[in-house]
Amino acid sequence: MARIFLPESVGSDSRRARSDGRGGDAGRLADGGERSGNAFPKYPDLDDPFEDDGPSAIQLLLSVGQEAGTIVWLDWSGEEYLGATRAALTRACARLGLAAPAWDDETERRILDHLGDRLERGGLLPPLLVSIDEQLAVRGMRLLLIDIDSDSYQLVPVTADLFARVVGGEGDGFTLRSAGGT
């Protein structure tokens, strides 16, 4: 039986947990499995300003995907530890039923060495995402960015076929674009 995670609380405390793709600790499972926390869902990211009618559809979708570990949330400033983004994307691939990526374990170190003294806060992620996208492409996948006009990154690994069909799509409050190369 597939286990579906129902998010409970995804406030500011869970952002730190989401950056590594694990999601927050509160919640329960739809099939009766237990998690600690309140049984009534709350809005995602309570610190964010919402319109009078609550969070948008894309905000809710991102919240559910982050809690389920299928969408990886990254702060603009960079990784908490080297390899965190690749680790979170590995878990997302597994949860989405995608083949395990064949990562280059020296990816971050090579980028840091290349940037050297020119590295500024937040400067690691753009070239890192290009490299990750290239590494996924070798396995027939791509890294899709769900751009919500924010300084954070919302990433999901997808098959190359799905990527080709959806990249460039946009809706109310989001654009789907390449997180890496072309």
Side-chain angles (χ1 to χ4, degrees):
M1 171 186 248
R3 294 171 66 100
I4 301 170
F5 183 73
L6 300 175
E8 294 294 336
S9 174
V10 286
S12 59
D13 288 345
S14 67
R15 281 195 168 185
R16 284 185 294 280
R18 283 195 313 240
S19 67
D20 69 4
R22 290 180 291 190
D25 291 329
R28 63 184 170 83
L29 298 169
D31 66 355
E34 293 183 18
R35 292 241 189 205
S36 64
N38 184 333
F40 297 98
K42 296 181 181 178
Y43 285 141
D45 300 316
L46 292 173
D47 294 333
D48 291 345
F50 291 120
E51 300 297 323
D52 290 338
D53 58 349
S56 68
I58 191 63
Q59 290 167 321
L60 289 171
L61 175 67
L62 291 173
S63 175
V64 169
Q66 290 161 2
E67 286 295 321
T70 57
I71 296 176
V72 176
W73 176 90
L74 297 174
D75 185 71
W76 71 273
S77 61
E79 298 186 303
E80 291 181 36
Y81 61 89
L82 294 183
T85 302
R86 290 184 293 114
L89 287 168
T90 297
R91 286 188 296 277
C93 284
R95 290 178 176 142
L96 291 165
L98 298 172
W103 298 121
D104 173 359
D105 290 333
E106 296 297 314
T107 300
E108 295 83 1
R109 184 64 49 207
R110 191 175 1 275
I111 293 168
L112 289 171
D113 290 346
H114 175 74
L115 293 173
D117 294 339
R118 297 174 291 142
L119 180 63
E120 296 179 12
R121 187 167 181 222
L124 173 64
L125 284 182
L128 176 61
L129 297 180
V130 169
S131 180
I132 286 173
D133 185 50
E134 291 168 350
Q135 292 175 57
L136 286 171
V138 172
R139 299 294 296 249
M141 295 181 278
R142 295 293 306 271
L143 187 57
L144 185 67
L145 172 67
I146 304 168
D147 186 346
I148 57 171
D149 195 25
S150 168
D151 63 357
S152 64
Y153 295 86
Q154 313 285 333
L155 307 165
V156 62
V158 297
T159 64
D161 292 339
L162 178 59
F163 179 88
R165 289 193 316 261
V166 301
V167 72
E170 52 186 32
D172 187 22
F174 73 94
T175 303
L176 302 176
R177 66 179 185 88
S178 172
T182 58

